[in-house]
Structures are given as structure tokens and as C-alpha cells.
Amino acid sequence: MAELENYAELKFTNAVLIDIFSRYASNSEMAEFVASDGSIDMKFKMINGVMETPKCCEQVLSLMYALFECNPESAIGRIYSAHKVDILRETVYRLAMVLDGFSDVKLTIHSTAADKNDPEKKVSTHTEFTLKQSKTSETKVIE
């Protein structure tokens, strides 16, 4: 995707989403976006210009499905398009587990637009966003 001027890279770990998509994809299709360490690593062209960075796991999930919808030529986009109703139904059914399953979400947005001072020139921006979820808790005993 180096030839694209506007694209997003999304990398995260979520075993529940892998389980959901594995019901509708072959092993070779899954290997196109699931790395050997179990992380999901994808690049998507952006439609409709610049996107906002998500602030929570719910927004990551929404952004992810929007990117799948806009990129039906990618492996995961093809799987999503072919089984959208079933994938969304299972995602909603297992929503709490899906949201808890996100770990170390990294979103990188690459965008290029005309310079507002000189329309002949293009200005590129590179935005990185990381969302870490902690599963630790603290219990205090009060006597």
C-alpha cells in the first residue's frame, strides 16, 4: 500500500475476534491478516478523508468494521462482506468478550492532502495512536 496516499494501519490482539472470523474463513485467508504471534495486522485505504482516532475499545470496533466495509478487496473485507450479518450478530452476542479481548491496539493513519498555502504541493501527515487495556485490579481490605 506504499502507493496509497491515504491509508490506515491497524494492529491489535483479540482472540475472540479471531475465533469469530475463523468460522467464516479458511486457514490461508486467516493467515493474510493474523500474524504468527496471534496479532491482527491490517492496512486499509481510507475513504472519506481523515478519520478520527478512537478513544476506547468500542470506537476501535466501530472503526474496524467501517474499514472492512470500505475495503471489500482485502482478505478480511471479503470475509466480512460475504458473512456480514452472521459476523455482526456474533459480535453483538459476544460484545463484552470482544471488547475485553482488545489488547495493545495500534492505529497509524497516513494522509496526504493539498497544502492550503500552495495547492500545487502536498502535505503528508502521520498519526499514531495506541490504546492499552489493563486487566489488573486492586483489592483493599478495610477493617
Side-chain angles (χ1 to χ4, degrees):
M1 287 212 181
E3 71 279 0
L4 292 179
E5 292 184 338
N6 298 302
Y7 67 98
E9 296 178 74
L10 184 61
K11 183 173 183 167
F12 60 89
T13 302
N14 191 317
V16 180
L17 281 174
I18 290 172
D19 181 54
I20 291 171
F21 275 86
S22 69
R23 297 169 192 255
Y24 307 102
S26 67
N27 287 341
S28 62
E29 288 173 315
M30 293 295 290
E32 289 187 47
F33 56 89
V34 179
S36 60
D37 67 356
S39 65
I40 298 173
D41 193 358
M42 303 170 284
K43 288 184 182 179
F44 297 102
K45 65 181 175 183
M46 290 190 307
I47 309 290
N48 299 330
V50 178
M51 66 177 73
E52 291 188 31
T53 55
K55 308 273 187 283
C56 60
C57 291
E58 290 87 345
Q59 291 176 350
V60 170
L61 186 65
S62 177
L63 171 64
M64 183 184 72
Y65 282 139
L67 289 169
F68 296 167
E69 185 81 28
C70 293
N71 290 274
E73 70 285 347
S74 67
I76 198 164
R78 285 190 307 274
I79 297 162
Y80 177 73
S81 294
H83 305 282
K84 185 185 316 186
V85 172
D86 295 323
I87 290 170
L88 290 174
R89 181 180 294 125
E90 189 162 357
T91 300
V92 170
Y93 177 70
R94 298 169 68 179
L95 187 59
M97 291 187 299
V98 168
L99 295 175
D100 284 345
F102 278 108
S103 176
D104 296 326
V105 178
K106 183 176 182 182
L107 173 66
T108 307
I109 301 170
H110 306 272
S111 59
T112 302
D115 186 330
K116 53 184 157 182
N117 297 327
D118 184 358
E120 296 295 316
K121 287 185 178 178
K122 291 191 174 187
V123 177
S124 295
T125 59
H126 174 89
T127 306
E128 288 188 5
F129 166 80
T130 303
L131 177 69
K132 293 188 182 277
Q133 228 179 205
S134 174
K135 303 269 193 238
T136 61
S137 63
E138 181 181 333
T139 303
K140 291 184 180 181
V141 178
I142 301 173
E143 295 180 12

